[in-house]
Amino acid sequence: MRFLLLPLFGLLGGCSFLVFGEASERPDDAVVRGINYVAVTVNDLDQATKLYSETVKLEMVDERNLDQIPGSNALLGRGKFVAKTRLMRSNNAQLRFIQFEDADTSRKQFPKVEVHGPGIAHVAFQVNKTTKAYAKFLEAGAKPVNGTQNMTSLSENNPVEYAYARDANRTMYEFEHVDISKLDRATPPKYNYRIRHVALATPDFDRIVKFYSILLEQEEPRRLGRLINLQGENFDNVSGLPDTKLKMAFFQVRNMELEIAQYTSHPTSLPDKPRPFDAPGFSMIVFDVEDMKAAREKLITAGGTIVSEAKPMDGGQIMIARDLDGNLLGFQKLGSKSVFSSQNFAGDGTS
């Protein structure tokens, strides 16, 4: 599935950009072993299940109720809640959809995360162009961020088209359509669908990149636009923002990527209070760890804060924390056969 490793905005003929250096390697014994799942709060669990199973072929692999989340008072402002969850799997990664049945109206209508953030801005699906996944997403009622149904090709040398759209919860997803016929390879890709990355939009790029460089033990991630920001009409077409300028960094966390972007053309600031966990949208990135003590030390060294120390959840232990922007992170220790574990996916998510 090597076509799915084509760098986002990687071959950009005609656009102003600068790739900064080569990405360093993460150690084989890194404390963070992968990404177990990205949690997504929704208003209608059945609607979300139907949408993502039909458009990007996510498969439901677990369904359960939650009667507690560690640190729920800090996350929800209340200790008791009623929530249903469904874990849905692609070929390399998972989303966990959560519906809080007792969420009040103010939470259900909480403002969306903008393209430029701040916060967990989007998850990207990378698919074979022949699947027409983006068109199916729009046909199911999703709204294109740029106001049109068109996808954008960034250059003739890059056989990928890009677009952002929001589902009924106003949660934003990126679609990357790959033209398999234009790939320079003899054997076609094994899979037509994958979850490529989860993206953070930040108001302070250098600070948050340093945080994840320490946490994920990758001193130098792959970067784009660090000295000369990414810009041009094609970027405007994808982001839906006029005169877009941004810089980006990418960490390969075994089975999927963590993308970090700052839109320097559209400055943002951190809110006074973190986004509520039960507000619709991406609520938490859950990392896979084997040594909880080491994970805690790595987080504190990077400058993160603890919301809840390790406590039982889903047949294992989970510690909940926040990064420097207030984004929620879970650090989960599980048995080797747990359905939630990133270890269910072979290799590093690239084949």
Side-chain angles (χ1 to χ4, degrees):
M1 201 162 55
R2 286 289 170 183
F3 82 98
L4 296 174
L5 287 182
L6 288 169
L8 178 64
F9 304 140
L11 300 171
L12 303 178
C15 297
S16 298
F17 77 104
L18 183 65
V19 179
F20 182 83
E22 296 292 332
S24 59
E25 296 291 329
R26 294 180 70 229
D28 292 337
D29 61 349
V31 171
V32 173
R33 305 190 303 169
I35 296 177
N36 286 343
Y37 62 85
V38 178
V40 193
T41 300
V42 299
N43 290 327
D44 188 330
L45 192 58
D46 290 336
Q47 188 273 342
T49 302
K50 183 175 187 293
L51 175 64
Y52 293 99
S53 62
E54 291 182 351
T55 58
V56 288
K57 305 304 180 185
L58 297 187
E59 176 188 2
M60 188 174 72
V61 294
D62 184 85
E63 182 176 21
R64 65 183 67 190
N65 294 337
L66 284 180
D67 58 6
Q68 65 175 355
I69 295 175
S72 59
N73 279 325
L75 294 176
L76 304 172
R78 52 196 166 101
K80 296 182 179 180
F81 60 90
V82 179
K84 296 181 178 179
T85 79
R86 288 176 185 162
L87 185 71
M88 300 190 69
R89 177 177 296 177
S90 187
N91 292 298
N92 69 302
Q94 305 175 125
L95 301 180
R96 188 177 193 177
F97 294 98
I98 306 174
Q99 179 182 341
F100 290 90
E101 296 191 335
D102 56 345
D104 61 33
T105 301
S106 65
R107 295 296 175 88
K108 291 183 177 181
Q109 298 177 350
F110 202 81
K112 64 183 181 291
V113 177
E114 299 292 347
V115 173
H116 51 296
I120 306 176
H122 70 262
V123 161
F125 297 112
Q126 196 174 65
V127 304
N128 187 329
K129 183 178 180 178
T130 61
T131 65
K132 300 180 180 180
Y134 180 61
K136 293 176 182 177
F137 196 58
L138 298 183
E139 289 169 4
K143 304 299 183 182
V145 167
N146 65 5
T148 77
Q149 297 189 7
N150 299 327
M151 302 190 77
T152 298
S153 177
L154 296 175
S155 82
E156 295 181 356
N157 299 320
N158 186 8
V160 186
E161 295 178 320
Y162 305 91
Y164 293 156
R166 296 186 184 275
D167 65 12
N169 298 292
R170 298 180 300 163
T171 303
M172 187 169 66
Y173 292 85
E174 178 183 3
F175 284 77
E176 301 179 5
H177 279 197
V178 182
D179 188 343
I180 306 301
S181 67
K182 294 183 180 179
L183 293 178
D184 183 17
R185 54 175 292 169
T187 304
K190 183 177 181 180
Y191 301 113
N192 286 327
Y193 302 87
R194 85 186 284 254
I195 298 173
R196 175 167 169 76
H197 62 246
V198 56
L200 304 179
T202 180
D204 193 332
F205 183 80
D206 291 336
R207 186 179 76 139
I208 205 71
V209 168
K210 182 178 180 181
F211 171 87
Y212 283 102
S213 295
I214 296 170
L215 180 67
L216 302 176
E217 300 176 72
Q218 185 173 3
E219 183 177 349
E220 187 56 58
R222 180 167 57 87
R223 297 177 185 246
L224 296 174
R226 184 176 183 181
L227 300 181
I228 301 175
N229 286 180
L230 303 167
Q231 57 189 285
E233 183 179 0
N234 289 335
F235 292 97
D236 297 353
N237 291 339
V238 175
S239 70
L241 298 173
D243 302 320
T244 293
K245 293 182 181 180
L246 74 159
K247 47 188 174 182
M248 309 177 77
F250 305 84
F251 295 88
Q252 183 68 42
V253 195
R254 187 177 181 271
N255 58 311
M256 64 184 295
E257 266 190 337
L258 175 67
E259 173 188 295
I260 296 172
Q262 180 179 2
Y263 285 76
T264 57
S265 55
H266 295 75
T268 61
S269 58
L270 297 178
D272 293 335
K273 295 182 179 180
R275 184 178 181 83
F277 187 83
D278 53 353
F282 302 109
S283 52
M284 182 165 60
I285 301 170
V286 179
F287 293 116
D288 182 4
V289 301
E290 192 170 30
D291 186 333
M292 191 66 75
K293 181 180 178 181
R296 189 185 192 283
E297 291 175 352
K298 192 69 66 177
L299 173 80
I300 297 300
T301 299
T305 56
I306 305 292
V307 173
S308 175
E309 298 287 358
K311 294 181 181 179
M313 184 174 165
D314 297 327
Q317 295 280 317
I318 189 168
M319 176 181 69
I320 296 178
R322 293 190 186 276
D323 69 12
L324 298 179
D325 283 356
N327 299 308
L328 277 174
L329 308 177
F331 296 85
Q332 194 172 35
K333 181 179 180 180
L334 300 162
S336 60
K337 295 183 180 180
S338 172
V339 70
F340 292 96
S341 175
S342 71
Q343 305 307 302
N344 288 310
F345 304 106
D348 59 1
T350 66
S351 58

